[in-house]
Amino acid sequence: MKVNNLITIDGISGAGKGTLAKSLALELNYSLLDSGNLYRLVGLIAKRLETNNSEEIAKELNSRKITMEFDNLKDLTEVFFGSERVTEDLRNEEVAMEASNFAKDSFIRNTLIKHQRDYFDSNKGLIADGRDMGTVIFPEARWKFFLIASIEERAKRRLRQLKEVGLEVKMPILIDNIKVRDEQDTNRDISPTVPAEDALTIDTSNLSAEGLKNKVLEIIKD
Ligand code: DC
C-alpha cells in the first residue's frame, strides 16, 4: 500500500534535490532526511581512520548516535556525530568523492538502510532526499520525484553552495568532479541513481527554486 505522507526526491548531483526537499519540508511541516549526509559521514570516517575497510567504517558509524536536524534560520542541516558537530566537515569535495566511492559498497549501503528508514514517522510525514529513496529505501512512497539538470547549471549551483559555506573550488575542477560522481552514482551495480518506475522525472535546468516547489505542490495536491 502506498504511503501518502512520504515524498521521495532522488536525482543526480546538483539537480536541486536539497533545495526542493527543504522548501517542501517547511511548507508541509514534514521531517527531512538528507541521506547524502550519511554517505558523506562514511567518507569522513574513512578519511579519518585512513581505511577502506567497510566493516571497520560501519563499526565506527554505529558507535555513536547520528543526529541530523534542519535549521530553518541557517538554511542548512546540522549534523552531529555523537556530540561532535560535523556539519561543515561533510561539505568539502574530498569527502563528497569518498562518499561516492563508498556508495558503491553493498556492506555500507546495507548498514545505512535502517538509519534511513528510522527517519520516517507516519505521524509527521517525511521528505526523503537522496539517490535510491524511491527505489530501495521507501518504495512505498506515494510521491516520487526524480530531478535532472544540465551539467553547467548543476556546477553553477554547486559553486554557489560551496561559496556559502566559505569554500572555493575552480569551475573546471567542479565540472570534472560532478562528471566522475555522475558516472559512479548512475552506473554502480547496487542501488544506482535511476528513477523508480513510478517516479516523475523533472528537468530543473530552467526552473527557479520557487517554480519547482510550486510545480511539485500542484502535483501532490491533485
Ligand atoms: O547528495 P550528496 O552530494 O550529499 O551525496 C553524496 C554522495 O553519496 C553522492 O555522490 C552519492 C551518494 N549517495 C547515495 O549513493 N545514495 C544516497 N541515498 C545519497 C547519497
Side-chain angles (χ1 to χ4, degrees):
M1 214 183 59
K2 295 289 181 196
V3 177
N4 268 325
N5 60 352
L6 186 50
I7 301 177
T8 62
I9 303 173
D10 291 304
I12 48 179
S13 188
K17 301 185 296 293
T19 308
L20 175 63
K22 280 185 258 177
S23 63
L24 285 179
L26 284 175
E27 183 88 27
L28 301 168
N29 195 24
Y30 283 10
S31 300
L32 174 65
L33 165 63
D34 175 353
S35 62
N37 275 326
L38 293 171
Y39 287 88
R40 284 170 183 260
L41 186 55
V42 165
L44 183 68
I45 291 172
K47 267 184 58 177
R48 285 183 175 175
L49 299 184
E50 294 180 11
T51 182
N52 282 327
N53 183 319
S54 38
E55 290 185 30
E56 214 180 304
I57 295 168
K59 196 168 157 213
E60 174 67 8
L61 188 84
N62 289 327
S63 71
R64 301 196 225 167
K65 191 171 183 314
I66 303 165
T67 317
M68 295 197 280
E69 248 164 52
F70 178 56
D71 185 325
N72 187 7
L73 291 176
K74 292 192 209 148
D75 192 31
L76 56 76
T77 299
E78 290 281 11
V79 188
F80 289 85
F81 184 41
S83 59
E84 185 193 355
R85 181 175 178 272
V86 291
T87 311
E88 270 89 30
D89 294 327
L90 300 185
R91 294 329 303 169
N92 80 57
E93 282 294 293
E94 239 181 283
V95 166
M97 196 57 84
E98 281 287 13
S100 178
N101 292 336
F102 281 99
K104 290 184 282 193
D105 185 307
S106 58
F107 191 83
I108 293 290
R109 292 205 84 86
N110 288 334
T111 303
L112 291 180
I113 289 176
K114 188 174 155 28
H115 283 282
Q116 295 169 93
R117 286 198 64 87
D118 281 351
Y119 271 82
F120 179 55
D121 171 354
S122 58
N123 293 321
K124 176 96 203 270
L126 179 72
I127 311 289
D129 159 2
R131 304 295 194 289
D132 59 346
M133 299 294 103
T135 48
V136 177
I137 306 297
F138 298 114
E140 70 276 32
R142 167 73 182 86
W143 306 105
K144 299 182 184 178
F145 298 93
F146 191 85
L147 306 188
I148 55 171
S150 70
I151 191 150
E152 293 77 18
E153 185 55 37
R154 292 189 288 139
K156 266 195 250 160
R157 291 174 188 171
R158 182 75 34 156
L159 197 69
R160 236 178 359 243
Q161 282 170 353
L162 290 170
K163 271 199 181 138
E164 273 166 24
V165 289
L167 297 170
E168 286 284 343
V169 183
K170 297 256 179 301
M171 194 63 154
I173 296 177
L174 205 54
I175 290 187
D176 279 351
N177 284 356
I178 292 176
K179 281 186 182 159
V180 173
R181 287 213 283 145
D182 274 1
E183 168 71 20
Q184 293 203 132
D185 294 343
T186 310
N187 296 320
R188 65 179 174 232
D189 293 334
I190 171 166
S191 305
T193 305
V194 292
E197 271 181 16
D198 50 350
L200 180 73
T201 297
I202 303 177
D203 186 337
T204 69
S205 307
N206 298 313
L207 278 174
S208 66
E210 189 68 14
L212 176 61
K213 181 186 82 172
N214 290 338
K215 187 178 170 94
V216 167
L217 284 173
E218 283 279 297
I219 294 166
I220 63 178
K221 258 184 225 149
D222 285 348

